[in-house]
């Protein structure tokens, strides 16, 4: 896991014209940053157009991801998109993002089914987990006393999503630790500290190894939540953090390219 992974989650933002401007800007800005893996996850309707920009003079380290799939493979599900419909178009798919759990009322069983369908469709799933409750300022500054209570939610989400999963899924999987209180766009968000995110991710790593066996050691674990060009280095310098899932700052070419440059300067 020597390569850092930086994922842009554009959520339900951008017109098509904006998406293309951002894609072109990022493509130019990261062209030389070949040591970092970078993924753009635009809204569904823009996937094909963004793919066309990426495929022209393709950069091997810049790929496409989707933000969701449905938990069934085929059928009468109006408005939904199956994993297999993305095969050959996207390489990654975000699964179980807290906004989908909250607004789409996604259940743990659905998330589990989506992971398996993504794996069968040869997509790399980025499984999002994270707690709702913000820790105290003292715990954020010094997470050595991280409590079982604070960890309960992300570890339970991990267990629910992955117990009994097969080897193929564990080999493809990426996990993103995104504390819900740190995600921007929902009121008073504040990024975690690097120390806090690192401490939680260390526990997530233990749990992954318990679930997956030794292969759990090489599953990339990202941090996400109010990442900016300014704080990216604080997270990327942490030994347990293998990359970032970036929302708001990924819509600004300069900020996102700056985050990718920081990643490239570290590894
Ligand atoms: P944010 O979003 O960077 O805007 O906080 C991150 C995410 O929700 O993936």
């Amino acid at each position: 896991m020597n390569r850092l992974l930086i994922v842009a989650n554009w959520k339900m933002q951008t017109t098509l014209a904006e998406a293309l401007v951002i894609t072109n800007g990022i493509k130019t800005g990261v062209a030389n940053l070949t040591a970092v893996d970078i993924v753009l996850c635009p809204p569904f309707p823009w996937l094909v157009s963004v793919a066309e920009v990426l495929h022209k003079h393709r950069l091997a380290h810049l790929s496409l991801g989707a933000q969701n799939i449905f938990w069934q493979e085929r059928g009468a599900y109006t408005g939904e998109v199956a994993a297999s419909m993305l095969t050959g178009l996207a390489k990654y798919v975000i699964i179980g993002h807290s906004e989908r759990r909250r607004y789409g009322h996604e259940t743990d069983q659905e998330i589990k089914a989506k992971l398996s369908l993504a794996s069968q469709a040869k997509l790399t799933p980025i499984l999002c987990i994270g707690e709702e409750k913000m820790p105290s300022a003292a715990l954020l500054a010094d997470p050595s006393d991280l409590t079982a209570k604070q960890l309960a939610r992300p570890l339970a989400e991990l267990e629910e999503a992955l117990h009994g999963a097969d080897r193929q899924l564990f080999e493809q999987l990426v996990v993103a630790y995104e504390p819900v209180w740190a995600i921007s766009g929902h009121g008073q968000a504040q990024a975690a500290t690097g120390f806090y995110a690192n401490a939680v991710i260390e526990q997530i790593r233990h749990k992954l190894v318990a679930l997956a066996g030794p292969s759990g050691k090489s599953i990339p674990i990202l941090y996400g939540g109010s990442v900016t060009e300014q704080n990216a280095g604080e997270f990327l310098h942490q030994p347990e953090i293998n990359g970032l899932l970036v929302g708001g700052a990924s819509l600004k070419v300069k900020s996102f390219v700056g985050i990718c440059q920081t990643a490239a300067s570290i590894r």
Side-chain angles (χ1 to χ4, degrees):
M1 240 183 323
N2 289 323
R3 295 175 69 82
L4 290 168
L5 176 62
I6 309 292
V7 182
N9 176 11
W10 293 352
K11 308 194 179 182
M12 197 174 72
Q13 313 272 21
T14 74
T15 61
L16 174 58
E18 288 163 349
L20 295 178
V21 167
I22 299 170
T23 305
N24 277 302
I26 291 174
K27 194 176 174 191
T28 305
V30 305
N32 295 327
L33 307 180
T34 52
V36 184
D37 288 319
I38 301 161
V39 181
L40 306 183
C41 302
F44 271 131
W46 313 156
L47 275 174
V48 171
S49 304
V50 171
E52 280 168 8
V53 175
L54 296 188
H55 286 167
K56 211 169 156 191
H57 309 297
R58 203 176 158 270
L59 301 173
H61 62 291
L62 179 61
S63 4
L64 191 65
Q67 296 176 20
N68 184 35
I69 45 170
F70 195 53
W71 52 275
Q72 291 277 10
E73 180 38 40
R74 199 186 176 91
Y77 301 104
T78 303
E80 299 294 350
V81 174
S84 60
M85 294 173 180
L86 299 174
T87 305
L89 175 62
K91 192 169 165 198
Y92 292 79
V93 59
I94 297 171
I95 289 181
H97 191 283
S98 61
E99 287 154 8
R100 294 212 52 83
R101 293 181 195 252
R102 183 188 290 182
Y103 304 121
H105 309 289
E106 265 180 23
T107 65
D108 287 326
Q109 289 96 316
E110 288 167 3
I111 288 165
K112 195 172 172 60
K114 288 179 184 202
L115 287 171
S116 159
L117 289 168
S119 165
Q120 286 163 31
K122 309 236 173 327
L123 300 169
T124 298
I126 303 171
L127 169 65
C128 300
I129 56 171
E131 77 281 4
E132 297 259 351
K133 197 173 172 320
M134 189 172 180
S136 66
L139 197 56
L140 267 178
D142 176 11
S144 52
D145 286 333
L146 204 56
T147 58
K149 208 168 149 206
Q150 194 64 29
L151 287 165
R153 168 96 181 246
L155 296 187
E157 287 176 342
L158 201 65
E159 165 89 36
E160 289 299 326
L162 295 174
H163 72 258
D166 61 22
R167 180 196 292 259
Q168 182 182 321
L169 174 59
F170 284 122
E171 280 170 3
Q172 288 160 301
L173 186 69
V174 173
V175 172
Y177 168 56
E178 291 211 309
V180 180
W181 50 267
I183 297 177
S184 71
H186 306 285
Q188 289 197 320
Q190 150 186 351
T193 59
F195 287 141
Y196 181 83
N198 191 67
V200 176
I201 287 175
E202 199 172 359
Q203 299 304 317
I204 292 172
R205 172 73 63 207
H206 290 319
K207 182 80 186 173
L208 270 179
V209 172
L211 287 162
S215 66
K217 288 187 191 149
S218 47
I219 295 171
I221 308 179
L222 318 180
Y223 167 77
S226 296
V227 171
T228 62
E229 199 183 342
Q230 286 70 36
N231 66 16
E234 176 184 343
F235 296 105
L236 293 173
H237 275 108
Q238 299 294 329
E240 303 292 334
I241 299 183
N242 310 123
L244 300 168
L245 179 50
V246 187
S250 71
L251 294 162
K252 297 178 212 119
V253 171
K254 187 179 163 295
S255 305
F256 189 69
V257 170
I259 292 167
C260 295
Q261 283 167 340
T262 301
S265 72
I266 291 170
R267 259 172 257 177

